[in-house]
Amino acid sequence: MLDSKASELVMKRISIAFPGVQALSDVDFRTAAGRAHALIGANGAGKSTLMKVLAGAHDHYTGSISIDGKEVRIRTPKDAKDNGIQVVYQEVDTALIPNLSVGENIMLEQTVHNMKGKHLIQWKELHRSAQAILDRMNIKVPTKKLVQELTLAEKQMVLIARSVSRECRFLVLDEPTAPLSHSETDQLFRLIRLLKVEGVGIIFISHRLPELYEICEDITIMRDGKLVVSEELANIDQHKVVELMLGARMEGQFPHAKKEIGKKRFEVKDIRDGDKVNGVNLHVCKGEIIGLAGLVGAGKTELCRALFGAAPIVSGQLFIDNRELRIRSPYQAVKNGIALVPEERRREGIFVEESVSVNLTAAILSRFTKWGPWLSKSKEKQAAVEIIQSLGVKTPSANAKVSNLSGGNQQKVAIGKWLLVDADVYIFDEPTKGVDVGAKRDIYELVAELAGRGKCIIYASSEMSEMIGITDRIYVMFDGQVVKELETQHTSEEEILLHSTGGLLT
């Protein structure tokens, strides 16, 4: 149970609705300072909405929020910060100013506040203050380095440093480990443990269940906008957590449909992008799923982009059915039957502020045009509704904005638009990043279904279990090169990891 003497944050009977959907219904949430509290649920369960209420991003909720027994008013982000509540969202790039330094980003709010009083910026003091915060948290990043030069993990650390530059009593981390390598995750957990010792309460949103057991003491599970259970994590095992998230027992994560693998269809010879990809060779047969395995930074994403014509400089050869392709842009890739579901779905895979219907039909508008440029809205909507139903996208309607959907449903939209294109080669780059176990299974089944239709599938992931569970062959990447080709049925997660870390290189 929570320590009654510790500082407590309590949310009571929180409800909020958006057009066409009741997002939260009388949700209670309680956590304490100095502890890490896991907040989980399937995509669309309401956990992010609950935290946006806490962060002051949604002001039309009903219910109450109190800290240490005193009710507080939180209707704006400023209200939340004034009460010591800070949030680090998953898309770290959108929260930082890339052409400012680390120190300027950490001290941004204080700088803006001082400028309102027309004070001159004391640059030495700014960097000294930022360095003191970084030293306190043992973060090794120069304060004068530009944010655009940092790794994703370093950017996340800078955001956390900014959060604790003001009084921070409760810190919300939304899918913080999704873009991180194992070593970077270890560094983040070291920082979380330090913050807990300092008395900061951590609210930790993640779909990686093993991580919760490593860093959290308490857990709250949500489903369909309602509280399911709130408990000490030690009192509940992983299988039960999944059951409570989904509302049903999960029999098996990966599909096991029998399929026939045909002749070689897609071939890659000596692909280079002038930076991260250094002479990759691979092939995919009809109906085959090949995996691109490797740790964060191995070159998987860069290879996917190069194959899709999205890299600025590409050399090498691509073939479909022995026909050489000339691909220098994504447009040419699509014209030649190649589709990419990118890792950064919000930045590259979807139009966030457009409707579900617009997103699903964006890649093949010509199918819905008549008499020149005129678009048939009825045909477009009909096609979108069919994809929504086939993929089980949870949305109030085809006209709803994609920005209002959960992460898992946004990913389904990012994938769904390519189903209308009917490509020959489908490239999936970390397609399950930041989605729950139920949505993951939906994506696995979709990938298997495409392979069953004879499509060539390239599936890039840093999750070793996915490599074993869904692929037929695996190309392991290390330092921009393929270092090993493996038959999935004859390998193991341990062997994949060994090659992913550069082991046994000859």
Side-chain angles (χ1 to χ4, degrees):
M1 299 296 294
L2 297 175
D3 184 353
S4 60
K5 296 181 181 179
S7 179
E8 281 190 326
L9 167 69
V10 179
M11 306 177 75
K12 286 186 177 180
R13 299 181 64 83
I14 303 295
S15 296
I16 190 170
F18 299 97
V21 60
Q22 182 70 37
L24 297 174
S25 301
D26 290 331
V27 176
D28 292 338
F29 179 79
R30 177 189 296 256
T31 192
R35 296 172 73 90
H37 195 125
L39 177 61
I40 69 169
N43 291 111
K47 55 190 184 298
S48 293
T49 303
L50 183 66
M51 288 301 100
K52 286 181 179 179
V53 167
L54 181 62
H58 296 319
D59 64 353
H60 62 289
Y61 66 90
T62 59
S64 65
I65 302 173
S66 61
I67 297 177
D68 294 340
K70 179 182 178 182
E71 187 167 340
V72 295
R73 172 184 168 82
I74 297 181
R75 299 289 172 176
T76 69
K78 182 179 184 301
D79 291 338
K81 292 175 181 178
D82 287 346
N83 283 285
I85 298 165
Q86 300 280 348
V87 184
V88 176
Y89 292 106
Q90 185 177 350
E91 287 81 17
V92 295
D93 283 315
T94 63
L96 295 169
I97 301 177
N99 58 343
L100 292 185
S101 69
V102 168
E104 289 168 304
N105 272 275
I106 291 174
M107 306 304 295
L108 185 63
E109 293 184 22
Q110 291 89 328
T111 302
V112 171
H113 178 76
N114 289 336
M115 288 176 66
K116 288 181 180 179
K118 298 182 179 180
H119 295 164
L120 294 176
I121 298 176
Q122 302 295 324
W123 293 107
K124 287 186 178 180
E125 177 63 21
L126 181 148
H127 284 285
R128 188 198 65 76
S129 298
Q131 188 63 57
I133 295 169
L134 293 173
D135 288 345
R136 182 182 120 210
M137 296 189 294
N138 196 27
I139 298 174
K140 307 297 184 183
V141 181
T143 65
K144 294 185 178 181
K145 191 173 185 178
L146 294 181
V147 160
Q148 65 191 12
E149 299 172 355
L150 302 181
T151 65
L152 272 173
E154 289 171 334
K155 290 175 183 177
Q156 194 172 72
M157 297 296 176
V158 169
L159 269 180
I160 294 174
R162 180 201 288 175
S163 297
V164 300
S165 67
R166 297 181 57 171
E167 181 185 3
C168 180
R169 302 171 73 181
F170 296 95
L171 176 65
V172 182
L173 299 176
D174 186 3
E175 290 288 346
T177 63
L180 304 185
S181 67
H182 294 294
S183 61
E184 290 168 338
T185 297
D186 289 341
Q187 184 182 5
L188 173 65
F189 284 0
R190 177 196 57 77
L191 180 55
I192 290 174
R193 292 186 181 99
L194 175 63
L195 291 172
K196 287 197 293 184
V197 169
E198 293 187 354
V200 177
I202 307 293
I203 302 173
F204 192 90
I205 302 175
S206 177
H207 293 302
R208 296 178 173 180
L209 298 186
E211 294 179 350
L212 306 184
Y213 286 83
E214 183 176 348
I215 200 66
C216 297
E217 289 82 24
D218 308 296
I219 186 169
T220 292
I221 302 173
M222 296 181 64
R223 185 173 68 246
D224 297 331
K226 299 177 181 178
L227 172 68
V228 176
V229 70
S230 192
E231 180 65 270
E232 283 193 356
L233 194 54
N235 296 335
I236 184 170
D237 63 32
Q238 290 190 35
H239 293 290
K240 188 63 177 178
V241 167
V242 172
E243 285 183 31
L244 292 170
M245 284 175 60
L246 302 180
R249 183 179 295 276
M250 189 136 179
E251 299 299 338
Q253 194 173 18
F254 299 103
H256 296 287
K258 290 185 178 180
K259 59 182 178 180
E260 292 186 5
I261 296 177
K263 65 179 182 179
K264 180 168 62 178
R265 287 207 66 198
F266 182 64
E267 188 171 11
V268 174
K269 292 185 177 180
D270 196 33
I271 284 292
R272 302 171 184 270
D273 71 347
D275 184 20
K276 297 286 189 178
V277 182
N278 301 309
V280 170
N281 296 278
L282 59 83
H283 72 273
V284 193
C285 297
K286 179 181 179 180
E288 186 181 32
I289 304 173
I290 66 114
L292 293 181
L295 303 179
V296 174
K300 303 187 302 298
T301 291
E302 290 79 7
L303 175 58
C304 292
R305 290 176 58 83
L307 298 180
F308 192 61
I313 302 173
V314 177
S315 63
Q317 296 174 292
L318 303 181
F319 299 86
I320 289 183
D321 296 328
N322 295 319
R323 172 175 60 89
E324 185 169 1
L325 309 177
R326 290 188 57 81
I327 295 177
R328 295 293 180 266
S329 69
Y331 173 79
Q332 291 175 334
V334 174
K335 293 286 286 185
N336 282 281
I338 300 175
L340 169 66
V341 178
E343 178 182 14
E344 297 298 329
R345 58 175 173 263
R346 288 182 64 87
R347 191 169 60 183
E348 300 175 337
I350 52 177
F351 300 112
V352 178
E353 294 304 318
E354 296 290 346
S355 69
V356 174
S357 179
V358 166
N359 272 273
L360 288 174
T361 57
I364 192 164
L365 283 176
S366 60
R367 183 182 297 182
F368 310 106
T369 56
K370 55 183 180 180
W371 304 308
W374 305 108
L375 185 67
S376 173
K377 287 289 186 180
S378 60
K379 288 184 178 179
E380 180 187 36
K381 186 174 181 179
Q382 181 182 351
V385 168
E386 290 176 0
I387 295 295
I388 289 169
Q389 292 174 345
S390 66
L391 293 183
V393 179
K394 291 184 178 180
T395 176
S397 73
N399 296 323
K401 277 189 177 183
V402 170
S403 60
N404 293 331
L405 304 187
S406 66
N409 286 299
Q410 288 181 0
Q411 186 70 319
K412 288 181 180 180
V413 171
I415 294 171
K417 72 179 181 184
W418 293 117
L419 301 185
L420 290 172
V421 173
D422 193 30
D424 295 309
V425 180
Y426 287 84
I427 304 171
F428 294 88
D429 185 11
E430 300 283 0
T432 63
K433 187 176 89 171
V435 303
D436 69 81
V437 290
K440 281 183 179 180
R441 182 174 174 82
D442 291 341
I443 292 171
Y444 298 149
E445 289 180 342
L446 172 62
V447 171
E449 180 187 341
L450 289 171
R453 286 160 45 187
K455 306 301 183 182
C456 299
I457 310 294
I458 298 175
Y459 192 101
S461 176
S462 54
E463 298 288 338
M464 304 304 168
S465 60
E466 291 189 343
M467 290 290 104
I468 295 295
I470 198 169
T471 69
D472 301 297
R473 283 185 302 116
I474 300 167
Y475 292 94
V476 185
M477 294 192 67
F478 176 78
D479 198 21
Q481 297 178 310
V482 170
V483 294
K484 190 69 175 179
E485 179 184 348
L486 300 166
E487 293 285 340
T488 303
Q489 63 179 341
H490 297 136
T491 189
S492 64
E493 292 187 32
E494 290 76 15
E495 184 179 16
I496 297 170
L497 184 58
L498 177 65
H499 293 292
S500 296
T501 56
L504 300 181
L505 285 180
T506 59

